[in-house]
Amino acid sequence: MTETTTPTSARRPGGIGNLAGRTVSRIGYGAMQLERLHDHRSEAIALLRHAFDLGVDHVDTAHFYGNGFVNGLIRDALRPQDDVLIVTKVGAVSDPGGPFPMRVAQRPEELRASIENELISLGVEQIPVVNLRRMDAGMTIPFPDDQKVDLDDQLAELTALRDAGKIGAIGLSSVSIDVVRHALPAGIACVQNAYSLVARDDQNLLEFCASEQIAWVPYFPLGGAIPGMAKVTDEPAVLAAAERLGCTPAQIGLAWLLHHNSQTLLIPGTATISHLEANLEAGEVTLDDETLAALDTIPTRPAVTSRG
């Protein structure tokens, strides 16, 4: 169905944004936490459908989330009336028996194989957006020398897959500003890096993406996702703003991201209906100039510590 005839067309959590040439709600959904509902499949599907009914029209996922389990949930949750843009990522694969739940898979032939797995587990003929998850910035895991692949070789493979109609657009994840600049000729739809109110080291990259009309889709939008990472919800200025405005500290953190740059799209994840609704309601929080000034004074810290 077209956007004007879908039941959710009047709902735009966070307002209107653009992703890969399509109008979307600025608040979408990150599906990684659905793996926690492995033994509660019907609950997971109900959560996804509730998100779609509330206006979520872009979902971030990956085949290595539960080795296809999460993608299968999305496939089964989508209904004929849903008009949802699926964004997935390649560059790693599931590794249940390894020291980490995933291992790096950066070689061009591995990227192609990953996309074939994505197509199968999602049950689609084309993936609208595929992010190349590099190891240039943010949280990394150990990887051997044969996985240190030239960016041009990776982009050539993804471009060939786009030309073949298997993917619609190319994005980048965990990258530096130099990598994004180098990749521009390939046509980049979005960039996903760790970024939040308490971790703003990539501000220059955000501004560069905005100038190039590239969607900025931060992961770890509230910090605190791994031990030692600063949490947005621990900051006194955030707590004070939440009390004054009658919302939660997490909603303040998400609202700040939306106010900070109009090119930002959010993909907060959760495995509960209540948190889903609260995340979407963050788009209705208005931050006045005084509150924004107080939040902007919060010091920034490194988003994550590299491993290996």
PDB file of all heavy atoms in Angstrom, residues 57-87:
ATOM      1  N   ASP A  57       8.239   2.566  10.862  1.00  0.00           N
ATOM      2  CA  ASP A  57       8.276   2.104   9.477  1.00  0.00           C
ATOM      3  C   ASP A  57       9.693   1.859   8.967  1.00  0.00           C
ATOM      4  O   ASP A  57       9.913   1.739   7.767  1.00  0.00           O
ATOM      5  CB  ASP A  57       7.532   3.063   8.551  1.00  0.00           C
ATOM      6  CG  ASP A  57       8.038   4.502   8.646  1.00  0.00           C
ATOM      7  OD1 ASP A  57       9.092   4.722   9.300  1.00  0.00           O
ATOM      8  OD2 ASP A  57       7.383   5.397   8.081  1.00  0.00           O
ATOM      9  N   HIS A  58      10.659   1.789   9.891  1.00  0.00           N
ATOM     10  CA  HIS A  58      11.986   1.284   9.525  1.00  0.00           C
ATOM     11  C   HIS A  58      12.549   0.506  10.706  1.00  0.00           C
ATOM     12  O   HIS A  58      12.457   0.933  11.861  1.00  0.00           O
ATOM     13  CB  HIS A  58      12.946   2.387   9.049  1.00  0.00           C
ATOM     14  CG  HIS A  58      13.240   3.464  10.052  1.00  0.00           C
ATOM     15  ND1 HIS A  58      14.425   3.537  10.764  1.00  0.00           N
ATOM     16  CD2 HIS A  58      12.500   4.517  10.435  1.00  0.00           C
ATOM     17  CE1 HIS A  58      14.401   4.604  11.546  1.00  0.00           C
ATOM     18  NE2 HIS A  58      13.247   5.211  11.366  1.00  0.00           N
ATOM     19  N   VAL A  59      13.074  -0.674  10.391  1.00  0.00           N
ATOM     20  CA  VAL A  59      13.561  -1.610  11.403  1.00  0.00           C
ATOM     21  C   VAL A  59      14.990  -1.991  11.076  1.00  0.00           C
ATOM     22  O   VAL A  59      15.308  -2.340   9.933  1.00  0.00           O
ATOM     23  CB  VAL A  59      12.680  -2.876  11.452  1.00  0.00           C
ATOM     24  CG1 VAL A  59      13.292  -3.916  12.378  1.00  0.00           C
ATOM     25  CG2 VAL A  59      11.271  -2.526  11.909  1.00  0.00           C
ATOM     26  N   ASP A  60      15.850  -1.920  12.080  1.00  0.00           N
ATOM     27  CA  ASP A  60      17.257  -2.286  11.921  1.00  0.00           C
ATOM     28  C   ASP A  60      17.476  -3.695  12.460  1.00  0.00           C
ATOM     29  O   ASP A  60      17.105  -3.998  13.588  1.00  0.00           O
ATOM     30  CB  ASP A  60      18.138  -1.291  12.686  1.00  0.00           C
ATOM     31  CG  ASP A  60      19.617  -1.615  12.536  1.00  0.00           C
ATOM     32  OD1 ASP A  60      20.182  -1.245  11.500  1.00  0.00           O
ATOM     33  OD2 ASP A  60      20.181  -2.244  13.451  1.00  0.00           O
ATOM     34  N   THR A  61      18.099  -4.545  11.653  1.00  0.00           N
ATOM     35  CA  THR A  61      18.292  -5.928  12.044  1.00  0.00           C
ATOM     36  C   THR A  61      19.590  -6.457  11.449  1.00  0.00           C
ATOM     37  O   THR A  61      20.361  -5.714  10.847  1.00  0.00           O
ATOM     38  CB  THR A  61      17.085  -6.788  11.590  1.00  0.00           C
ATOM     39  OG1 THR A  61      17.241  -8.114  12.081  1.00  0.00           O
ATOM     40  CG2 THR A  61      16.965  -6.809  10.077  1.00  0.00           C
ATOM     41  N   ALA A  62      19.847  -7.738  11.634  1.00  0.00           N
ATOM     42  CA  ALA A  62      20.999  -8.418  11.037  1.00  0.00           C
ATOM     43  C   ALA A  62      20.775  -9.916  11.165  1.00  0.00           C
ATOM     44  O   ALA A  62      20.198 -10.383  12.152  1.00  0.00           O
ATOM     45  CB  ALA A  62      22.309  -8.025  11.723  1.00  0.00           C
ATOM     46  N   HIS A  63      21.251 -10.670  10.186  1.00  0.00           N
ATOM     47  CA  HIS A  63      21.111 -12.127  10.249  1.00  0.00           C
ATOM     48  C   HIS A  63      21.852 -12.686  11.463  1.00  0.00           C
ATOM     49  O   HIS A  63      21.427 -13.697  12.047  1.00  0.00           O
ATOM     50  CB  HIS A  63      21.648 -12.769   8.971  1.00  0.00           C
ATOM     51  CG  HIS A  63      21.480 -14.263   8.933  1.00  0.00           C
ATOM     52  ND1 HIS A  63      20.283 -14.869   8.620  1.00  0.00           N
ATOM     53  CD2 HIS A  63      22.340 -15.271   9.200  1.00  0.00           C
ATOM     54  CE1 HIS A  63      20.422 -16.185   8.684  1.00  0.00           C
ATOM     55  NE2 HIS A  63      21.663 -16.449   9.040  1.00  0.00           N
ATOM     56  N   PHE A  64      22.954 -12.025  11.872  1.00  0.00           N
ATOM     57  CA  PHE A  64      23.712 -12.557  13.006  1.00  0.00           C
ATOM     58  C   PHE A  64      23.061 -12.242  14.350  1.00  0.00           C
ATOM     59  O   PHE A  64      23.584 -12.624  15.390  1.00  0.00           O
ATOM     60  CB  PHE A  64      25.178 -12.112  12.981  1.00  0.00           C
ATOM     61  CG  PHE A  64      25.431 -10.623  12.937  1.00  0.00           C
ATOM     62  CD1 PHE A  64      25.359  -9.841  14.073  1.00  0.00           C
ATOM     63  CD2 PHE A  64      25.802 -10.012  11.746  1.00  0.00           C
ATOM     64  CE1 PHE A  64      25.622  -8.482  14.040  1.00  0.00           C
ATOM     65  CE2 PHE A  64      26.081  -8.648  11.703  1.00  0.00           C
ATOM     66  CZ  PHE A  64      25.984  -7.888  12.841  1.00  0.00           C
ATOM     67  N   TYR A  65      21.900 -11.607  14.365  1.00  0.00           N
ATOM     68  CA  TYR A  65      21.115 -11.501  15.593  1.00  0.00           C
ATOM     69  C   TYR A  65      20.378 -12.832  15.777  1.00  0.00           C
ATOM     70  O   TYR A  65      19.338 -13.085  15.168  1.00  0.00           O
ATOM     71  CB  TYR A  65      20.100 -10.366  15.513  1.00  0.00           C
ATOM     72  CG  TYR A  65      20.670  -8.973  15.462  1.00  0.00           C
ATOM     73  CD1 TYR A  65      19.874  -7.886  15.117  1.00  0.00           C
ATOM     74  CD2 TYR A  65      22.004  -8.723  15.763  1.00  0.00           C
ATOM     75  CE1 TYR A  65      20.377  -6.598  15.080  1.00  0.00           C
ATOM     76  CE2 TYR A  65      22.519  -7.443  15.714  1.00  0.00           C
ATOM     77  CZ  TYR A  65      21.711  -6.378  15.373  1.00  0.00           C
ATOM     78  OH  TYR A  65      22.216  -5.107  15.327  1.00  0.00           O
ATOM     79  N   GLY A  66      20.950 -13.692  16.586  1.00  0.00           N
ATOM     80  CA  GLY A  66      20.326 -14.980  16.828  1.00  0.00           C
ATOM     81  C   GLY A  66      20.429 -15.932  15.655  1.00  0.00           C
ATOM     82  O   GLY A  66      19.625 -16.868  15.541  1.00  0.00           O
ATOM     83  N   ASN A  67      21.430 -15.715  14.802  1.00  0.00           N
ATOM     84  CA  ASN A  67      21.658 -16.610  13.655  1.00  0.00           C
ATOM     85  C   ASN A  67      20.384 -16.788  12.829  1.00  0.00           C
ATOM     86  O   ASN A  67      19.983 -17.904  12.497  1.00  0.00           O
ATOM     87  CB  ASN A  67      22.171 -17.969  14.139  1.00  0.00           C
ATOM     88  CG  ASN A  67      22.807 -18.764  13.005  1.00  0.00           C
ATOM     89  OD1 ASN A  67      23.268 -18.208  12.020  1.00  0.00           O
ATOM     90  ND2 ASN A  67      22.840 -20.081  13.146  1.00  0.00           N
ATOM     91  N   GLY A  68      19.767 -15.666  12.489  1.00  0.00           N
ATOM     92  CA  GLY A  68      18.569 -15.679  11.665  1.00  0.00           C
ATOM     93  C   GLY A  68      17.265 -15.643  12.440  1.00  0.00           C
ATOM     94  O   GLY A  68      16.200 -15.408  11.846  1.00  0.00           O
ATOM     95  N   PHE A  69      17.321 -15.842  13.758  1.00  0.00           N
ATOM     96  CA  PHE A  69      16.089 -15.869  14.554  1.00  0.00           C
ATOM     97  C   PHE A  69      15.340 -14.543  14.484  1.00  0.00           C
ATOM     98  O   PHE A  69      14.122 -14.507  14.247  1.00  0.00           O
ATOM     99  CB  PHE A  69      16.410 -16.217  16.009  1.00  0.00           C
ATOM    100  CG  PHE A  69      15.239 -16.070  16.938  1.00  0.00           C
ATOM    101  CD1 PHE A  69      14.220 -17.006  16.938  1.00  0.00           C
ATOM    102  CD2 PHE A  69      15.147 -14.991  17.812  1.00  0.00           C
ATOM    103  CE1 PHE A  69      13.128 -16.876  17.788  1.00  0.00           C
ATOM    104  CE2 PHE A  69      14.064 -14.853  18.660  1.00  0.00           C
ATOM    105  CZ  PHE A  69      13.050 -15.788  18.649  1.00  0.00           C
ATOM    106  N   VAL A  70      16.050 -13.437  14.681  1.00  0.00           N
ATOM    107  CA  VAL A  70      15.392 -12.128  14.688  1.00  0.00           C
ATOM    108  C   VAL A  70      14.836 -11.798  13.306  1.00  0.00           C
ATOM    109  O   VAL A  70      13.714 -11.295  13.173  1.00  0.00           O
ATOM    110  CB  VAL A  70      16.364 -11.039  15.189  1.00  0.00           C
ATOM    111  CG1 VAL A  70      15.777  -9.647  14.985  1.00  0.00           C
ATOM    112  CG2 VAL A  70      16.684 -11.264  16.664  1.00  0.00           C
ATOM    113  N   ASN A  71      15.604 -12.082  12.261  1.00  0.00           N
ATOM    114  CA  ASN A  71      15.091 -11.853  10.910  1.00  0.00           C
ATOM    115  C   ASN A  71      13.820 -12.653  10.663  1.00  0.00           C
ATOM    116  O   ASN A  71      12.878 -12.181  10.015  1.00  0.00           O
ATOM    117  CB  ASN A  71      16.144 -12.235   9.871  1.00  0.00           C
ATOM    118  CG  ASN A  71      17.169 -11.138   9.647  1.00  0.00           C
ATOM    119  OD1 ASN A  71      17.116 -10.083  10.273  1.00  0.00           O
ATOM    120  ND2 ASN A  71      18.114 -11.386   8.760  1.00  0.00           N
ATOM    121  N   GLY A  72      13.787 -13.876  11.171  1.00  0.00           N
ATOM    122  CA  GLY A  72      12.591 -14.692  11.008  1.00  0.00           C
ATOM    123  C   GLY A  72      11.385 -14.093  11.708  1.00  0.00           C
ATOM    124  O   GLY A  72      10.251 -14.191  11.209  1.00  0.00           O
ATOM    125  N   LEU A  73      11.592 -13.477  12.856  1.00  0.00           N
ATOM    126  CA  LEU A  73      10.506 -12.791  13.549  1.00  0.00           C
ATOM    127  C   LEU A  73       9.950 -11.655  12.692  1.00  0.00           C
ATOM    128  O   LEU A  73       8.722 -11.473  12.583  1.00  0.00           O
ATOM    129  CB  LEU A  73      10.990 -12.232  14.886  1.00  0.00           C
ATOM    130  CG  LEU A  73      11.358 -13.229  15.982  1.00  0.00           C
ATOM    131  CD1 LEU A  73      11.943 -12.482  17.170  1.00  0.00           C
ATOM    132  CD2 LEU A  73      10.140 -14.044  16.416  1.00  0.00           C
ATOM    133  N   ILE A  74      10.846 -10.874  12.122  1.00  0.00           N
ATOM    134  CA  ILE A  74      10.416  -9.750  11.281  1.00  0.00           C
ATOM    135  C   ILE A  74       9.637 -10.270  10.080  1.00  0.00           C
ATOM    136  O   ILE A  74       8.579  -9.734   9.724  1.00  0.00           O
ATOM    137  CB  ILE A  74      11.633  -8.913  10.850  1.00  0.00           C
ATOM    138  CG1 ILE A  74      12.271  -8.252  12.081  1.00  0.00           C
ATOM    139  CG2 ILE A  74      11.230  -7.862   9.823  1.00  0.00           C
ATOM    140  CD1 ILE A  74      13.622  -7.631  11.813  1.00  0.00           C
ATOM    141  N   ARG A  75      10.149 -11.305   9.454  1.00  0.00           N
ATOM    142  CA  ARG A  75       9.465 -11.911   8.303  1.00  0.00           C
ATOM    143  C   ARG A  75       8.044 -12.328   8.674  1.00  0.00           C
ATOM    144  O   ARG A  75       7.087 -12.041   7.943  1.00  0.00           O
ATOM    145  CB  ARG A  75      10.259 -13.125   7.835  1.00  0.00           C
ATOM    146  CG  ARG A  75       9.636 -13.901   6.670  1.00  0.00           C
ATOM    147  CD  ARG A  75      10.330 -15.235   6.498  1.00  0.00           C
ATOM    148  NE  ARG A  75      10.122 -16.089   7.672  1.00  0.00           N
ATOM    149  CZ  ARG A  75      11.068 -16.854   8.230  1.00  0.00           C
ATOM    150  NH1 ARG A  75      12.289 -16.873   7.741  1.00  0.00           N
ATOM    151  NH2 ARG A  75      10.780 -17.604   9.282  1.00  0.00           N
ATOM    152  N   ASP A  76       7.889 -12.965   9.818  1.00  0.00           N
ATOM    153  CA  ASP A  76       6.575 -13.464  10.216  1.00  0.00           C
ATOM    154  C   ASP A  76       5.669 -12.361  10.749  1.00  0.00           C
ATOM    155  O   ASP A  76       4.434 -12.502  10.711  1.00  0.00           O
ATOM    156  CB  ASP A  76       6.730 -14.561  11.270  1.00  0.00           C
ATOM    157  CG  ASP A  76       7.391 -15.817  10.718  1.00  0.00           C
ATOM    158  OD1 ASP A  76       7.489 -15.937   9.474  1.00  0.00           O
ATOM    159  OD2 ASP A  76       7.825 -16.665  11.523  1.00  0.00           O
ATOM    160  N   ALA A  77       6.254 -11.284  11.252  1.00  0.00           N
ATOM    161  CA  ALA A  77       5.438 -10.207  11.820  1.00  0.00           C
ATOM    162  C   ALA A  77       4.850  -9.305  10.751  1.00  0.00           C
ATOM    163  O   ALA A  77       3.769  -8.730  10.937  1.00  0.00           O
ATOM    164  CB  ALA A  77       6.275  -9.365  12.791  1.00  0.00           C
ATOM    165  N   LEU A  78       5.536  -9.151   9.633  1.00  0.00           N
ATOM    166  CA  LEU A  78       5.067  -8.242   8.591  1.00  0.00           C
ATOM    167  C   LEU A  78       3.760  -8.731   7.987  1.00  0.00           C
ATOM    168  O   LEU A  78       3.617  -9.892   7.639  1.00  0.00           O
ATOM    169  CB  LEU A  78       6.125  -8.088   7.504  1.00  0.00           C
ATOM    170  CG  LEU A  78       7.351  -7.248   7.884  1.00  0.00           C
ATOM    171  CD1 LEU A  78       8.443  -7.393   6.846  1.00  0.00           C
ATOM    172  CD2 LEU A  78       6.948  -5.774   8.037  1.00  0.00           C
ATOM    173  N   ARG A  79       2.807  -7.801   7.869  1.00  0.00           N
ATOM    174  CA  ARG A  79       1.502  -8.084   7.298  1.00  0.00           C
ATOM    175  C   ARG A  79       1.356  -7.352   5.967  1.00  0.00           C
ATOM    176  O   ARG A  79       2.113  -6.417   5.686  1.00  0.00           O
ATOM    177  CB  ARG A  79       0.409  -7.629   8.267  1.00  0.00           C
ATOM    178  CG  ARG A  79       0.490  -8.290   9.642  1.00  0.00           C
ATOM    179  CD  ARG A  79      -0.196  -7.466  10.719  1.00  0.00           C
ATOM    180  NE  ARG A  79       0.443  -6.159  10.910  1.00  0.00           N
ATOM    181  CZ  ARG A  79       0.156  -5.330  11.906  1.00  0.00           C
ATOM    182  NH1 ARG A  79      -0.764  -5.655  12.798  1.00  0.00           N
ATOM    183  NH2 ARG A  79       0.766  -4.164  12.010  1.00  0.00           N
ATOM    184  N   PRO A  80       0.392  -7.745   5.137  1.00  0.00           N
ATOM    185  CA  PRO A  80       0.247  -7.091   3.824  1.00  0.00           C
ATOM    186  C   PRO A  80       0.107  -5.578   3.907  1.00  0.00           C
ATOM    187  O   PRO A  80       0.578  -4.857   3.029  1.00  0.00           O
ATOM    188  CB  PRO A  80      -1.025  -7.747   3.259  1.00  0.00           C
ATOM    189  CG  PRO A  80      -1.074  -9.085   3.901  1.00  0.00           C
ATOM    190  CD  PRO A  80      -0.544  -8.882   5.293  1.00  0.00           C
ATOM    191  N   GLN A  81      -0.518  -5.040   4.980  1.00  0.00           N
ATOM    192  CA  GLN A  81      -0.731  -3.606   5.079  1.00  0.00           C
ATOM    193  C   GLN A  81       0.482  -2.851   5.605  1.00  0.00           C
ATOM    194  O   GLN A  81       0.503  -1.614   5.592  1.00  0.00           O
ATOM    195  CB  GLN A  81      -1.937  -3.308   5.976  1.00  0.00           C
ATOM    196  CG  GLN A  81      -1.731  -3.611   7.456  1.00  0.00           C
ATOM    197  CD  GLN A  81      -2.183  -4.992   7.856  1.00  0.00           C
ATOM    198  OE1 GLN A  81      -2.132  -5.909   7.047  1.00  0.00           O
ATOM    199  NE2 GLN A  81      -2.649  -5.148   9.090  1.00  0.00           N
ATOM    200  N   ASP A  82       1.489  -3.560   6.094  1.00  0.00           N
ATOM    201  CA  ASP A  82       2.663  -2.889   6.659  1.00  0.00           C
ATOM    202  C   ASP A  82       3.601  -2.432   5.541  1.00  0.00           C
ATOM    203  O   ASP A  82       3.883  -3.171   4.608  1.00  0.00           O
ATOM    204  CB  ASP A  82       3.417  -3.833   7.599  1.00  0.00           C
ATOM    205  CG  ASP A  82       2.595  -4.214   8.818  1.00  0.00           C
ATOM    206  OD1 ASP A  82       1.894  -3.328   9.348  1.00  0.00           O
ATOM    207  OD2 ASP A  82       2.645  -5.388   9.228  1.00  0.00           O
ATOM    208  N   ASP A  83       4.070  -1.207   5.675  1.00  0.00           N
ATOM    209  CA  ASP A  83       4.997  -0.626   4.694  1.00  0.00           C
ATOM    210  C   ASP A  83       6.266  -0.262   5.450  1.00  0.00           C
ATOM    211  O   ASP A  83       6.488   0.884   5.820  1.00  0.00           O
ATOM    212  CB  ASP A  83       4.355   0.600   4.050  1.00  0.00           C
ATOM    213  CG  ASP A  83       5.181   1.141   2.892  1.00  0.00           C
ATOM    214  OD1 ASP A  83       6.046   0.394   2.386  1.00  0.00           O
ATOM    215  OD2 ASP A  83       4.967   2.302   2.509  1.00  0.00           O
ATOM    216  N   VAL A  84       7.090  -1.265   5.704  1.00  0.00           N
ATOM    217  CA  VAL A  84       8.239  -1.110   6.595  1.00  0.00           C
ATOM    218  C   VAL A  84       9.531  -1.287   5.819  1.00  0.00           C
ATOM    219  O   VAL A  84       9.707  -2.271   5.097  1.00  0.00           O
ATOM    220  CB  VAL A  84       8.168  -2.143   7.746  1.00  0.00           C
ATOM    221  CG1 VAL A  84       9.408  -2.054   8.628  1.00  0.00           C
ATOM    222  CG2 VAL A  84       6.912  -1.923   8.580  1.00  0.00           C
ATOM    223  N   LEU A  85      10.433  -0.322   5.962  1.00  0.00           N
ATOM    224  CA  LEU A  85      11.745  -0.392   5.341  1.00  0.00           C
ATOM    225  C   LEU A  85      12.682  -1.176   6.257  1.00  0.00           C
ATOM    226  O   LEU A  85      12.855  -0.813   7.425  1.00  0.00           O
ATOM    227  CB  LEU A  85      12.269   1.026   5.097  1.00  0.00           C
ATOM    228  CG  LEU A  85      13.579   1.182   4.323  1.00  0.00           C
ATOM    229  CD1 LEU A  85      13.586   2.512   3.572  1.00  0.00           C
ATOM    230  CD2 LEU A  85      14.790   1.132   5.248  1.00  0.00           C
ATOM    231  N   ILE A  86      13.255  -2.233   5.731  1.00  0.00           N
ATOM    232  CA  ILE A  86      14.159  -3.075   6.514  1.00  0.00           C
ATOM    233  C   ILE A  86      15.602  -2.681   6.222  1.00  0.00           C
ATOM    234  O   ILE A  86      16.019  -2.590   5.069  1.00  0.00           O
ATOM    235  CB  ILE A  86      13.935  -4.563   6.198  1.00  0.00           C
ATOM    236  CG1 ILE A  86      12.520  -4.979   6.586  1.00  0.00           C
ATOM    237  CG2 ILE A  86      14.949  -5.426   6.936  1.00  0.00           C
ATOM    238  CD1 ILE A  86      12.148  -6.377   6.168  1.00  0.00           C
ATOM    239  N   VAL A  87      16.348  -2.450   7.283  1.00  0.00           N
ATOM    240  CA  VAL A  87      17.778  -2.137   7.190  1.00  0.00           C
ATOM    241  C   VAL A  87      18.533  -3.253   7.890  1.00  0.00           C
ATOM    242  O   VAL A  87      18.252  -3.572   9.047  1.00  0.00           O
ATOM    243  CB  VAL A  87      18.095  -0.788   7.873  1.00  0.00           C
ATOM    244  CG1 VAL A  87      19.575  -0.459   7.707  1.00  0.00           C
ATOM    245  CG2 VAL A  87      17.230   0.321   7.296  1.00  0.00           C
TER     246      VAL A  87
END
